[in-house]
Amino acid sequence: MLINAELLLQYQRCKRRPFLDVHGDKSRREPESDLLLKLYQDRIAHHRSILTEFTYQRPVYRQGDWKAGVTATLELMEQGAESIYQGVLVTGYSQTHTLLSRPDILVKHRGESRFGDWMYVPVNIELGKRPKQEYQVVAAFHAYVLAMVQQSELEIAWLMLRGKEAGYSVDLLKWMPQMHRVLEEYIQTLETEEAPEVFISRQRCNLCPWYDYCYTVAQSQKHLSLLPGVTPVRYTQLQALEITTVESLAKTYPTQLENLPGFDSAVAPKLILQAKSILENRPFIIPNLPPKQQYVLNSCTVETSVCLDTTIEIDTEATQLLTPRNDTITTAPVEMFFDIEAQPDLNLDFLLGVLVVDRQAKTEKFYSFLAESPEEEELVWQQFLNLVWQYPDAPIYHFCVYELDTVKRLAKLYQTPQSYVLPVLNRFVDIYKILTQNVALPIESYALKAIARWLGFEWRDPEASGMKCIYWYDQWLEMGDRSLLEIIQRYNEDDCLATRSVKDWLVNFLQKNNGL
């Protein structure tokens, strides 16, 4: 059986995925989405930008004929080619397994190998900005196969990432043992008859073609991974205590969990209360905890960054601006609801949407400040500031920290006086933070969509998402189809309306239950 780097990469992200790829019913796989195709396009563009730094040769062989690829690659290595792009290398690993390596670039270095007084070092091009463990294990995989082929040991391999420090050296003395452990676990997994246990982690599962199938399995099992706050580390601890159902978790005493890895005296009671909320299908007020123990079960993720690993970088100096301490929520005469659409690859916030609700006049109006090109970002920033200063006393409600961080970033980028920005930041109120610190809901996720849909709110375009808005905006820049901008604006407005529905429900619920 052939084992390649892609399978090893997927195994590190999900032990179930490679098993299904090899043994699963292919009719259960979903077709590739537009978002996944965008990811492929981004990867190709990143490859092209990196390749401009190399003078390379490429082995010539028919696509899919890896044996011919091996022969062509070895010929280039024997000739001493300075760089080889998309070479193919193989080595035996056991009587039944062969390792197939296709490093992005092989770079010639001084040294000793079977070819003469030169050797090759593998360079892998990755779309992420950080040298994650899974990338370094894959780099070690390529280095191992290469060492077997050229009969020369390697001490380092290279990753070419995105960002300011794109080149990263991989310490093979550290990562080679880890790679072999992962490889052995992978082989054992493939040799079993049943797929590994399902575990739903939306950040990792979002673009997987097996997601719908695995989610159906998890629902049928009422799997604990569907419970907000149950991370892989916590799930392992719960399993050790034979707590494997929502019912058993709901009946657990906090003292049984609070000293375990992944838990503490704040996490344990919140997670148990979350289980009770699911079990009884009703919301609960979270009892007050000491300030130092305030803990949010679910970290708030920016929707556009879930699987692309492309979060917008926030300048550290910009974060020195005053962070609001507004942890209360009330009903004001005029309220503003704020939501942003961004293109992380361009470091661009292209749409700042604000819903203005005047409760006294009984009116509401949505303002969509849209940059039709990246050059218009400063314009929409000024339009946003002009609007919020028209209502200097209105609270600005948002969901998660992204909007707050973005205002800081834009203020820094466009040198907006702090005297003009700080009063605005002081009016920001994070609905997500207040809700998760005070209420447990009978839902699987504390994302805006999950909460608002539990309340009965629906988006006009059910398939729209922040990630799809990135794709649509790219398509707009490429093709100029204005209908794409219209659907993005409609989605952004619905996000603002959803934030309003969550805020209104939260105020009423907390008042009735004396939560605040």
Side-chain angles (χ1 to χ4, degrees), residues 461-480:
D461 303 290
E463 299 303 317
S465 67
M467 292 179 66
K468 283 197 173 181
C469 285
I470 297 174
Y471 174 76
W472 289 329
Y473 189 75
D474 284 347
Q475 293 295 104
W476 152 255
L477 293 179
E478 181 179 342
M479 300 186 302

Side-chain angles (χ1 to χ4, degrees), residues 9-250:
L9 178 68
Q10 296 297 348
Y11 179 76
Q12 293 178 87
R13 293 173 173 172
C14 171
K15 290 179 170 54
R16 185 178 171 87
R17 165 75 183 269
F19 182 95
L20 294 176
D21 284 342
V22 174
H23 300 300
D25 180 356
K26 300 301 186 291
S27 66
R28 299 271 192 171
R29 285 175 58 104
E30 294 295 317
E32 293 183 343
S33 66
D34 290 341
L35 298 178
L36 198 56
L37 294 175
K38 172 185 164 41
L39 194 59
Y40 293 150
Q41 293 169 359
D42 290 347
R43 186 173 295 152
I44 291 171
H46 181 48
H47 272 237
R48 288 174 177 168
S49 67
I50 295 296
L51 288 173
T52 59
E53 303 175 19
F54 295 87
T55 300
Y56 61 88
Q57 293 177 259
R58 189 171 183 174
V60 179
Y61 61 97
R62 187 171 55 190
Q63 185 175 3
D65 188 352
W66 62 267
K67 292 183 179 180
V70 169
T71 300
T73 301
L74 289 175
E75 289 177 355
L76 291 176
M77 296 173 77
E78 290 168 349
Q79 295 167 13
E82 290 300 317
S83 297
I84 303 170
Y85 177 55
Q86 291 188 336
V88 185
L89 307 170
V90 296
T91 188
Y93 189 73
S94 68
Q95 292 183 345
T96 56
H97 297 93
T98 299
L99 306 185
L100 174 64
S101 167
R102 286 176 285 198
D104 292 317
I105 309 173
L106 295 170
V107 179
K108 184 181 178 183
H109 282 252
R110 291 181 181 178
E112 296 295 327
S113 72
R114 59 177 278 198
F115 305 117
D117 59 355
W118 68 86
M119 60 186 294
Y120 287 90
V121 173
V123 177
N124 235 44
I125 304 172
E126 300 291 354
L127 196 57
K129 294 181 179 179
R130 298 177 292 106
K132 295 183 286 189
Q133 173 178 316
E134 58 205 47
Y135 292 161
Q136 300 197 61
V137 168
V138 165
F141 175 85
H142 291 308
Y144 173 77
V145 177
L146 175 58
M148 295 298 102
V149 170
Q150 68 182 2
Q151 298 174 12
S152 177
E153 293 295 326
L154 296 168
E155 294 183 357
I156 66 168
W158 285 91
L159 293 173
M160 299 301 292
L161 307 172
R162 295 195 301 170
K164 297 178 181 178
E165 298 180 3
Y168 183 87
S169 62
V170 178
D171 182 356
L172 296 177
L173 292 177
K174 173 183 178 181
W175 288 102
M176 195 65 74
Q178 175 70 4
M179 185 277 293
H180 283 293
R181 284 194 292 271
V182 172
L183 183 57
E184 288 296 330
E185 289 178 8
Y186 169 76
I187 290 173
Q188 292 176 13
T189 298
L190 287 191
E191 291 176 346
T192 59
E193 295 183 358
E194 294 186 6
E197 181 182 8
V198 69
F199 191 96
I200 299 299
S201 175
R202 286 174 176 79
Q203 290 189 37
R204 289 187 176 272
C205 298
N206 193 41
L207 292 180
C208 178
W210 296 100
Y211 174 74
D212 287 346
Y213 169 62
C214 290
Y215 181 72
T216 300
V217 172
Q219 278 195 314
S220 68
Q221 298 174 353
K222 297 182 179 179
H223 198 272
L224 276 181
S225 65
L226 296 176
L227 195 72
V230 177
T231 64
V233 171
R234 292 172 190 160
Y235 182 63
T236 300
Q237 299 300 321
L238 294 173
Q239 279 185 308
L241 295 176
E242 298 184 350
I243 301 172
T244 58
T245 66
V246 174
E247 291 86 347
S248 60
L249 179 56

